[in-house]
Amino acid sequence: MSRSSRWLERGEKVIPGGVNSPVRAFKAVGGSPPFIARGEGIEIVDEDGHRYVDCICSWGALMLGHAPIEVVGAITKAAAQGSTFGAPTSAEVELAELIVQRVPSIEKVRLCSSGTESTMHAIRLARGATGRDVIVKFDGCYHGAHDAVLVGAGSGVATFGIPGSPGVPADTARNTLVVPYNDIEAIETLFAARGAEIACVIVEPVAGNMGCIPPREGFLETLRRVTSEHGSVLIFDEVMCGLRVARGGAQERYGVTPDLTCLGKIVGGGLPMAAFGGKAELMDHLSPVGPVYQAGTLSGNPVAVAAARATLEALTPELYEELEQISAEVGRGIAEAVAYHGCSMHRVGSMFTIFFRKDAPWSFEEVRECDFDAFGRFFRGALAGGVYLPPSQYEAAFLSARLSERDVQTIITGIEAALVAASVG
Ligand code: KE4
C-alpha cells in the first residue's frame, strides 16, 4: 500500500473524504489522489517520491511555480514581524495601489480571504447598490461555494435557479437566474423581459469550471451593453482568469470593462487572499463609508499581502510574453495528437482543456456530451507519465511561467502518450 493511500485511509477518519476540497479526491477520474509532500519549482513530489510536472498549479493560483524565492522571502520577512494585526497596515495600501494600476475596472478594492468571499461580497454590493434581489449567472460557471451561486439551471432557459446543493434554500435559489454560457440571444431576451429586476450579472469572462471555454465573439460586449442599459451591475469573476490570461486579466484581453471584478488565486501569491473591486462610486457603498456590510478578520493580513505584492511585482509584461510563447508551444505540440484521437481543445493563454468530444464545446450542455470514461483513462495515463493534470473534464489545466523547454517537451510527450492510453480503452 502506497504512503499516499495510507494517508488517505487515515485522513478519511478525520476529514470528510480525506480532503479539504472535494475535487482533490479524484472521484471524477477514479483511483486515489497522491498526497503531495512538497513543490519544487514547476514540479510537485508526492509522499512516495513520485515527481510530476504540475499543470494544476493549485487550480491556477501559481504563476511562478512552487516556493518561488522572491515570494518565500517576502512571506518569511512579513511573518517575522507578525502574521495579523486586525488593523490597517501600509502594505495593504501599497497592494491596493498595485491592483488598481493593474486591473482596468478597479478604482477601489477590498481584500478578503477566498474567491468565494470575493464573489459573495461583490453580489451583495450589487444588490445593495441597486436595491434589486435578482442575479444572473451562467450554466457551467462556478463562483465559489456560497448559496447565491450554488444554483443550477432550472428547466428551460433563464428560469428560476434550482438549488445546486442540499442546504441551499429554494427561496435563495429563486433569486438566481441561470442562462446558457455564450448564449447572446438568451441574455438579450431575459433583459428585455426582466432587466429592471436584475441587480447584477456575474460571469467568468473566460470560463474555467466547465473546462476552459472562451467567450464567443460579442458575448461579453452584449453583457456590457444590456447591463448598462438596465442599470444592472456587470461582475467579471476573474478569480481564475484574472492576472492569468493577460496582465490586466480577461477584461484587458477582450477590451470589455465590468463594473466589479473578483480576483483570487494568483492575486494571493499562493496564500489565502482574494479581492473584489471596481468603480469608486460603487465600492463606496461598502461599510464604513456606505451601508453595505462586508468584513473579515484576516482580510489584508500582512503575510498574504507580502506574498501578493511579491507576486504582482514579478508579473511583468515580459513574463506574460514568455508565458504566451510557452503556452502556444504546448498548444501546437499537442494539437495533432488531440485531433488524431478525436478530441478537441480550447486554450486561452496559459489555461487549456482537452475535451473528449470531436468538436470543441461552447456551452456547459456541450461539455456534458464528452466521453468522461475516456477522460478518466487519459487523466490516469498522464499521471502515470508524470504529468499532473486536473482530475476532471470540467476543469482547466494551467501552465507556469517558469517552465523550461525541457518541461514543455515533457508535457507534450506526456499528453500524447496519455491520449494513446485513453484511446485503447
Ligand atoms: P475559492 O473560494 O476556491 O478560493 O474560489 C472560488 C472560485 C470562484 N470563482 C472562480 C472562477 C473559481 O474558479 C473559483 C474556484 N475554482 C476552483 C477550481 N475549479 C477551486 C478548486 C477547488 O474548489 O478546490
Side-chain angles (χ1 to χ4, degrees):
M1 189 181 202
S2 71
R3 290 171 56 86
S4 283
S5 300
R6 283 204 299 274
W7 275 112
L8 181 62
E9 198 174 81
R10 182 171 158 187
E12 285 171 333
K13 293 186 175 71
V14 289
I15 304 171
V19 292
N20 282 305
S21 203
V23 71
R24 303 177 189 172
F26 281 22
K27 293 300 180 202
V29 291
S32 68
F35 274 58
I36 305 306
R38 62 186 182 282
E40 289 175 358
I42 56 91
E43 287 191 322
I44 48 177
V45 186
D46 72 15
E47 287 287 346
D48 297 280
H50 302 126
R51 308 183 75 89
Y52 310 92
V53 177
D54 183 7
C55 293
I56 299 183
C57 301
S58 186
W59 306 97
L62 300 175
M63 284 278 273
L64 307 171
H66 292 277
I69 187 91
E70 59 269 57
V71 178
V72 172
I75 291 170
T76 308
K77 184 162 174 268
Q81 295 168 330
S83 62
T84 179
F85 308 118
T89 63
S90 57
E92 291 164 75
V93 176
E94 290 173 327
L95 175 60
E97 289 168 343
L98 262 178
I99 294 170
V100 166
Q101 285 159 18
R102 194 71 54 96
V103 184
S105 61
I106 297 183
E107 295 173 353
K108 283 195 176 181
V109 65
R110 217 353 112 79
L111 305 178
C112 54
S113 297
S114 70
T116 293
E117 275 189 63
S118 72
T119 66
M120 180 175 67
H121 297 319
I123 288 169
R124 181 181 318 112
L125 174 56
R127 283 171 158 163
T130 60
R132 303 172 184 176
D133 293 339
V134 175
I135 69 171
V136 177
K137 75 175 287 288
F138 293 89
D139 203 14
C141 286
Y142 176 70
H143 303 293
H146 60 94
D147 287 358
V149 291
L150 282 179
V151 174
S155 60
V157 169
T159 55
F160 287 128
I162 52 176
S165 162
V168 174
D171 276 355
T172 302
R174 218 186 304 286
N175 277 321
T176 302
L177 297 177
V178 184
V179 184
Y181 192 74
N182 272 324
D183 190 334
I184 290 176
E185 189 185 339
I187 203 73
E188 285 180 329
T189 304
L190 172 62
F191 265 85
R194 304 188 55 181
E197 299 171 58
I198 295 171
C200 66
V201 171
I202 185 166
V203 66
E204 289 182 63
V206 175
N209 288 284
M210 50 177 142
C212 175
I213 297 190
R216 275 194 185 285
E217 185 71 34
F219 176 59
L220 299 179
E221 292 79 358
T222 300
L223 299 184
R224 180 64 283 175
R225 176 173 52 78
V226 296
T227 49
S228 299
E229 286 169 356
H230 292 83
S232 305
V233 174
L234 177 58
I235 302 175
F236 274 10
D237 177 352
E238 298 218 36
V239 166
M240 183 183 276
C241 60
L243 309 176
R244 176 164 287 281
V245 299
R247 194 160 185 260
Q251 56 200 265
E252 178 182 278
R253 191 177 183 109
Y254 294 100
V256 176
T257 303
D259 302 305
L260 290 177
T261 298
C262 300
L263 297 171
K265 299 178 193 280
I266 294 171
V267 80
L271 265 66
M273 203 200 81
F276 65 104
K279 292 191 177 100
E281 64 180 329
L282 200 46
M283 292 296 287
D284 281 347
H285 283 270
L286 288 173
S287 174
V289 182
V292 179
Y293 196 67
Q294 182 271 329
T297 303
L298 295 174
S299 295
N301 80 79
V303 180
V305 165
R309 288 177 63 194
T311 298
L312 284 182
E313 280 157 13
L315 297 180
T316 61
E318 295 72 24
L319 177 136
Y320 284 90
E321 285 164 20
E322 287 158 26
L323 182 55
E324 199 67 34
Q325 285 161 19
I326 290 169
S327 306
E329 192 176 345
V330 170
R332 281 194 303 274
I334 61 177
E336 192 178 331
V338 166
Y340 177 79
H341 290 284
C343 296
S344 53
M345 182 169 112
H346 276 308
R347 179 179 70 81
V348 179
S350 59
M351 57 191 278
F352 69 96
T353 298
I354 294 170
F355 293 97
F356 279 71
R357 72 193 299 272
K358 186 173 177 307
D359 301 315
W362 289 93
S363 69
F364 189 43
E365 190 177 352
E366 291 181 351
V367 176
R368 281 196 290 233
E369 295 164 357
C370 287
D371 180 344
F372 291 88
D373 291 338
F375 179 85
R377 295 193 298 272
F378 166 69
F379 169 80
R380 293 190 299 275
L383 194 68
V387 178
Y388 191 67
L389 293 171
S392 167
Q393 176 71 88
Y394 293 128
E395 296 289 353
F398 303 93
L399 298 169
S400 161
R402 297 270 159 93
L403 288 170
S404 68
E405 182 52 40
R406 182 166 166 268
D407 304 322
V408 166
Q409 289 312 314
T410 302
I411 292 169
I412 292 169
T413 50
I415 285 177
E416 287 174 335
L419 284 166
V420 172
S423 62
V424 297

